[in-house]
Each structure stands twice: as C-alpha cells, then as structure tokens.
C-alpha cells in the first residue's frame, strides 16, 4: 500500500502536501516524495525514510508552486531502493509527475511493450514508472503537433488509453506542468482515492488523497470518492472536469483497507472505517459466544492499535472486562509492512511490552485485526505467557489470510502465509495459543456492507482466492512466490545497498 496527495490552489502547496503526507504516513514508512510546479518548472524531492526525515527546511524552501503531488511508499516486491521512491517524472509531453498506489498485474508485458513499440526506456523495476510512461505516451498520441496546451478531453483520452492497457489496481494522482492535476482509479476502484476542496483567499483549492483524514485535518471538505474508472481533472484555472474513462466499471474496493490499512477516522467509498471495525467486533463476539458458550475467558486485551475498536465491542458482547495489556512504543513502524522476517521479529519485541498485572493468573483473549505470517501472533502469545497468563486465547477480526494480495499490498508468498494449507487447529498450534477463533468471511463482508449497501462487491482475494480483475493466473501467483519470499527480498536489498554505497563513494570522490 502507498499514500497519495495532490493539491492545486492559489498559494504555495508544499506545507499542505507535507501535512497531508504526514497524516497518511501509516500507508507507507519506507520512502516519501513530493513534486511541485510553478507552472513552468518542476521541483522534486524524494528519498527513503519518513516524511519528517525526507523533508527538511532546506528542501521545503525549494519546492515552489501552487500545484503539487506527494507520495509515501512502503517496500513492495522489487521496489526497495531509493531510486524507486515516488513521484516519478518524465519531461515529455509538458512534464508529468505521477504517484501510484496499487499494482499492475501485467507490468512485465507492459514494460516490454513500452520499450519495443513506444520506444521508452525504464530506469527501475517499479510498475509505477511503467504507468507514468504509458500515460505520457497516450497523452502524446492524443496531441496534435500544433497544439500548445492539452485540453480536458485530451487528458481524458489519454487516461482511456491507460485504462485500456493497464490491468490490476491503481489509484493515481498526476501533475501535468502548465496544464493541471488529474486523479483516477481503476475500473474496479480497488484502491481508494477521494476528492475535496477548501476556500482560500484567491479562490478554491482542490485536493486528491488516498484517505479523507488528509482533508479533515488540513481544512478541506470531503466532496466525494473518485468513482471506479473515473478521472477527475482540475485545470490551472481551477475548473473541474470529470469523465468515466473505463469501458466497464464496478465498485469492488479492497476489504483489507477496512480491516487494517486505513485510519479509523477515514471515510472510504462512503464507508466510515471506524464503524466497520465496531461491526467486526460485534459479529466476532457473537460468533465466539455461540460457538463457545462455556468459555473461561477472564479478560479481553487488544493488540494495539488497529484492533482496539473490535476488541472493545467483543468485550461488550461477551460481558467481559476490556484491558490494555500491551504498551506500544510509538517510534517503531507497523510490523506488517516491514521488510524481512528478521526485522519483523525484532520490531515486535521492541514495539510492545506487556503489563504483567493484566495477565498474571488470568485466561486472556488477545484480539488482533488479522494474522498474516503469524510472526507477530506467536510473539504476542509468548509475551502473554511470560507475563503470567494461565491460558492465552487468540481472536482475529479478519478471516484466515490464505492467498497473496496482488493489488498493491505486499503480502508474502503463499508458502509464508501461516494460514495457507493449514486449518484453524494447525494455525493455533503454530502460534502457540490455547484456542483460536477467526472472523467468518460473510460476517466480515456484512460488517462493511451494512455501512453502504451500494457496494457491488469487495475484493476479498487474500481470504477467498477470488481476484476481482479476472486476470490473475496460477502462473502469475507462481511468479509472485518467487519475487516475494523473504530470502529473495533480502538478497535484492543487499545488492541495492551495495550499489547505493558505491554511488555515495563515487559522488564523494568527485
């Protein structure tokens, strides 16, 4: 997952972009970037690290202009190096900077096509650079040689070309120098993108962002979600133009956004994330009470932070005390999105510490939002036992994650998913719990759907193995298995670090 912000207004946007990226930092902690324009030039800053570390005062003072886009990234397969921080930029036509959240499932074929037919050279392995070059090529193809400035219909024609060629999931914000800003989503609307406005002294400022929370805190009013297959273009004069650019659309957002990815105070596709997590806790609590009426649980303890809402509702349904048993070190990033198994194991121990009094001589129910690799769950169970718990039960607000996500969430290969090929009893033994209960998939879907009955369906592929784009083959999943396993990632990261160190030595020598 990644986070996007795009702004076009009447005053410098660098500070609001910074604030917006900080508000969606949870969507990516590996790299951050920002590109702004004064209408003639592009000013770009990007690097590995958190927003606060990438953008110092000296960088911010050089990001001029009343139009810009920003991006936060977490490391996905093949995109661990500094060179693949976003936004990406090409200088023709006009100059385009682009940020992307998602994953192109036909990236390999598109990369070859761009080189052989479109005569475009790619410098990274990132599918976001591929998407940028497809957009640039399609926009160039729509323009007549005598046309000095692209019109809205030219931009939409280019986006139609992108949607015709690009498969998979993508939420995109792009800045076209001297033209405006555009945002669009894939035909299924898998990854989120919202639009809002704010009144400024010089007129209306427009924002596109991955989550509504970026607007709430910066003073923008949420207008609506970008619809699946839709493009919203805001020209330099502030005029807003919209068009559905995909030939066939359906609303099928990723349900994992509501389970884990999004902030609870965000609203995605008209659905309040916080309310969905309340519903998840209620339904899971009712299921536990029905399947285990004579339980001996003494206390319900959440795994901070995402599961707190669901855990509290479970405690209410079960008529049990709710306690904070783990204290979180807030200076450690989200372990789900940390690269490498060794780093994840280390970070869990550093991130959470148990309050012994809440565990000692008690039968505790630990509640987490999901179980992916099982690494965190196993260590949590160990921490609870070390703190004196008699028995440790575990509940997941999401169903078993048995399949990889191919739409922009860097879930591991199938062999590294603890639920792949195992039943609940096997998983329970693997994490060392005395009992394990999962959310039912139908209950999860209803937990989100009851907040908005207009959703056609949800992408539940990591739970069900059913991929909404209908183009995910066994061969493609085998390809992901090779690229996403931790050993291959570690080898790539080492080679990239070696290359980075060599580059720094060469720069120092000059």
């Amino acid at each position: 997952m990644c986070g996007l912000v795009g702004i076009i207004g009447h005053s410098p946007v660098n500070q609001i972009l910074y604030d917006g990226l900080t508000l969606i930092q949870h969507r990516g902690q590996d790299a951050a970037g920002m590109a702004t324009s004064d209408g003639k030039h592009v000013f770009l800053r990007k690097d590995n690290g958190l927003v606060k570390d990438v953008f110092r005062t000296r960088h911010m003072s050089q990001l001029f202009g009343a139009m810009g886009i920003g991006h936060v990234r977490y490391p996905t397969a093949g995109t661990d190096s500094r060179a693949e921080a976003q936004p990406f930029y090409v200088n023709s036509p006009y100059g385009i900077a682009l940020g992307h959240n998602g994953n192109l499932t036909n990236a390999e074929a598109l990369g070859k096509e761009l080189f052989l037919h479109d005569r475009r050279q790619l410098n990274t392995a990132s599918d976001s650079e591929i998407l940028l070059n497809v957009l640039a090529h399609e926009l160039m193809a729509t323009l007549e040689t005598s046309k000095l400035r692209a019109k809205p219909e030219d931009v939409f024609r280019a986006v139609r070309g992108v949607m015709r060629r690009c498969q998979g999931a993508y939420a995109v914000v792009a800045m076209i120098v001297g033209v405006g800003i555009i945002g669009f989503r894939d035909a299924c609307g898998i990854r989120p993108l919202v639009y809002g406005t704010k009144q400024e002294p010089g007129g209306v400022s427009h924002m596109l962002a991955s989550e509504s929370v970026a607007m709430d805190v910066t003073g923008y009013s949420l207008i609506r979600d970008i619809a699946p297959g839709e493009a919203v273009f805001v020209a330099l004069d502030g005029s807003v133009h919209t068009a559905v650019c995909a030939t066939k659309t359906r609303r099928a957002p990723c349900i994992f956004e509501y389970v884990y990815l999004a902030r609870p105070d965000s609203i995605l596709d008209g659905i309040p994330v916080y309310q969905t997590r309340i519903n998840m806790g209620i339904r899971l609590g009712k299921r536990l009470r029905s399947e285990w009426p004579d339980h001996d649980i003494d206390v319900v303890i959440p795994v901070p932070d995402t599961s707190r809402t669901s855990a509290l509702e479970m405690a209410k349904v079960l008529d049990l005390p709710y306690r904070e048993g783990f204290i979180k070190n807030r200076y450690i990033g989200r372990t789900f999105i940390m690269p490498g198994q060794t780093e994840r194991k280390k970070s869990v121990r550093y991130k959470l510490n148990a309050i012994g009094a809440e565990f000692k001589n008690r039968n505790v129910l630990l509640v987490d939002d999901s179980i992916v690799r099982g690494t965190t769950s196993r260590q949590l169970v160990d921490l609870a036992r070390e703190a004196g718990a008699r028995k440790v039960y575990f509940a997941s607000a999401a169903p078993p994650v048995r399949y990889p996500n191919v739409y922009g969430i860097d879930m591991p290969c199938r062999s590294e998913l603890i639920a792949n090929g195992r039943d609940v009893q096997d998983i329970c033994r693997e994490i060392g719990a005395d009992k394990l209960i999962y959310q039912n998939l139908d209950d999860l879907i209803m937990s989100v759907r009851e907040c908005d009955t207009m959703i056609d369906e949800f992408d539940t592929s990591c739970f069900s193995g059913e991929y909404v784009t209908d183009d995910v083959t066994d061969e493609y999943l085998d390809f992901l298995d090779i690229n996403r396993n931790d050993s291959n990632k570690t080898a790539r990261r080492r080679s990239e670090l070696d290359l980075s160190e060599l580059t720094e030595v060469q720069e120092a020598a000059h």
Side-chain angles (χ1 to χ4, degrees):
M1 67 181 180
C2 297
L4 304 168
V5 179
I7 300 172
I8 182 168
H10 304 272
S11 58
V13 297
N14 53 354
Q15 186 60 54
I16 300 179
L17 282 172
Y18 179 96
D19 295 340
L21 290 178
T22 302
L23 290 163
I24 58 172
Q25 182 78 83
H26 59 283
R27 298 189 68 87
Q29 301 158 3
D30 180 61
M34 197 186 302
T36 64
S37 176
D38 59 2
K40 295 181 180 180
H41 307 95
V42 170
F43 308 93
L44 178 65
R45 165 64 182 170
K46 60 179 183 175
D47 203 349
N48 285 351
L50 299 174
V51 174
K52 67 180 180 64
D53 299 320
V54 171
F55 300 105
R56 302 292 187 178
T57 301
R58 65 182 183 276
H59 305 125
M60 295 291 289
S61 64
Q62 296 173 7
L63 292 166
F64 304 104
M67 173 173 69
I69 65 173
H71 186 273
V72 288
R73 187 199 76 190
Y74 85 118
T76 55
T79 57
D80 297 331
S81 74
R82 183 170 56 186
E84 283 145 352
Q86 297 185 44
F88 284 106
Y89 172 76
V90 292
N91 63 4
S92 178
Y94 306 124
I96 305 173
L98 177 143
H100 163 222
N101 176 28
N103 180 59
L104 301 184
T105 54
N106 64 335
E108 187 175 18
L110 273 175
K112 293 177 181 177
E113 187 178 296
L114 281 167
F115 182 75
L116 295 174
H117 301 291
D118 298 348
R119 302 295 189 265
R120 287 183 172 268
Q121 172 65 38
L122 300 173
N123 293 316
T124 71
S126 172
D127 61 339
S128 303
E129 188 188 12
I130 291 173
L131 204 157
L132 168 61
N133 277 273
V134 172
L135 175 63
H137 180 82
E138 293 295 325
L139 183 57
M140 181 72 81
T142 67
L143 300 174
E144 300 172 359
T145 55
S146 60
K147 192 173 292 186
L148 297 178
R149 194 60 61 212
K151 296 179 180 178
E153 55 265 30
D154 299 318
V155 176
F156 292 139
R157 193 176 299 118
V159 175
R160 290 188 187 98
V162 170
M163 293 190 177
R164 186 174 60 252
R165 297 175 65 179
C166 296
Q167 299 171 10
Y170 44 89
V172 172
V173 291
M175 175 181 70
I176 308 173
V177 178
V179 178
I181 281 183
I182 187 164
F184 56 91
R185 293 172 79 184
D186 65 81
C188 293
I190 298 171
R191 300 264 72 87
L193 191 63
V194 296
Y195 165 69
T197 61
K198 178 174 71 172
Q199 186 66 44
E200 292 183 335
V204 177
S205 178
H206 306 263
M207 176 187 281
L208 296 161
S210 291
E211 295 187 28
S212 63
V213 66
M215 299 179 181
D216 297 339
V217 182
T218 55
Y220 285 76
S221 299
L222 174 65
I223 303 300
R224 63 180 180 87
D225 297 89
I226 308 301
E230 182 188 27
V232 172
F233 171 64
V234 185
L236 284 183
D237 62 5
S239 59
V240 181
H241 311 266
T242 65
V244 175
C245 297
T247 55
K248 184 180 179 181
T249 66
R250 55 178 170 163
R251 292 180 71 192
C254 174
I255 204 165
F256 208 73
E257 290 278 354
Y258 303 95
V259 171
Y260 174 81
L261 301 183
R263 267 181 51 156
D265 47 344
S266 283
I267 299 173
L268 304 181
D269 283 298
I271 299 172
V273 176
Y274 181 72
Q275 185 60 52
T276 67
R277 293 177 185 170
I278 288 176
N279 298 342
M280 290 173 204
I282 293 172
R283 289 180 179 273
L284 186 57
K286 289 180 178 178
R287 184 177 185 200
L288 189 151
R289 188 177 61 189
S290 173
E291 295 182 358
W292 193 17
D294 58 344
H295 69 79
D296 59 350
I297 302 168
D298 295 318
V299 63
V300 176
I301 294 177
V303 177
D305 287 313
T306 320
S307 64
R308 280 196 172 106
T309 308
S310 296
L312 180 58
E313 297 306 314
M314 283 193 74
K316 290 179 182 178
V317 170
L318 297 170
D319 195 24
L320 290 170
Y322 167 94
R323 293 288 186 271
E324 293 286 343
F326 294 111
I327 297 301
K328 182 178 180 180
N329 180 345
R330 300 192 179 280
Y331 300 96
I332 302 292
R334 300 178 89 171
T335 53
F336 169 73
I337 61 177
M338 284 190 172
Q341 189 77 337
T342 302
E343 290 181 45
R344 281 189 293 271
K345 287 181 178 179
K346 182 179 178 181
S347 63
V348 170
R349 283 287 185 170
Y350 284 172
K351 184 171 76 170
L352 297 174
N353 189 41
I355 300 175
E358 299 299 341
F359 292 92
K360 191 171 183 179
N361 297 323
R362 287 180 170 180
N363 298 336
V364 299
L365 174 66
L366 304 183
V367 181
D368 207 349
D369 52 75
S370 59
I371 304 173
V372 182
R373 295 172 179 88
T375 309
T376 300
S377 306
R378 190 158 38 242
Q379 292 191 63
L380 290 168
V381 172
D382 291 343
L383 279 171
R385 293 197 191 283
E386 291 168 10
R390 282 200 308 265
K391 293 181 180 179
V392 182
Y393 307 122
F394 209 98
S396 168
V401 178
R402 302 188 186 278
Y403 307 92
N405 182 287
V406 303
Y407 299 129
I409 305 174
D410 193 34
M411 287 183 177
C413 63
R414 284 170 288 189
S415 63
E416 293 174 357
L417 293 168
I418 193 170
N420 186 263
R422 293 185 176 96
D423 61 22
V424 176
Q425 289 71 29
D426 291 334
I427 302 168
C428 185
R429 284 191 292 270
E430 282 289 322
I431 67 173
D434 293 291
K435 189 176 181 64
L436 171 64
I437 184 167
Y438 276 104
Q439 184 84 264
N440 178 277
L441 181 55
D442 289 338
D443 284 341
L444 175 62
I445 292 171
M446 287 307 301
S447 295
V448 186
R449 185 183 290 280
E450 65 187 35
C451 297
D452 185 347
T453 58
M454 299 300 290
I455 296 289
D456 298 323
E457 60 183 307
F458 292 97
D459 171 60
T460 61
S461 53
C462 58
F463 308 121
S464 64
E466 299 174 0
Y467 296 91
V468 295
T469 56
D470 299 325
D471 62 342
V472 179
T473 63
D474 288 336
E475 290 76 16
Y476 182 70
L477 293 177
D478 290 339
F479 170 78
L480 292 185
D481 282 350
I482 295 171
N483 281 271
R484 285 187 175 181
N485 71 73
D486 275 334
S487 59
N488 283 348
K489 282 185 181 180
T490 301
R492 280 197 305 273
R493 194 170 298 110
R494 284 173 180 165
S495 66
E496 287 161 354
L497 287 171
D498 291 343
L499 179 61
S500 176
E501 290 171 359
L502 177 61
T503 302
E504 289 174 1
V505 169
Q506 291 173 334
E507 290 174 349
H510 290 291

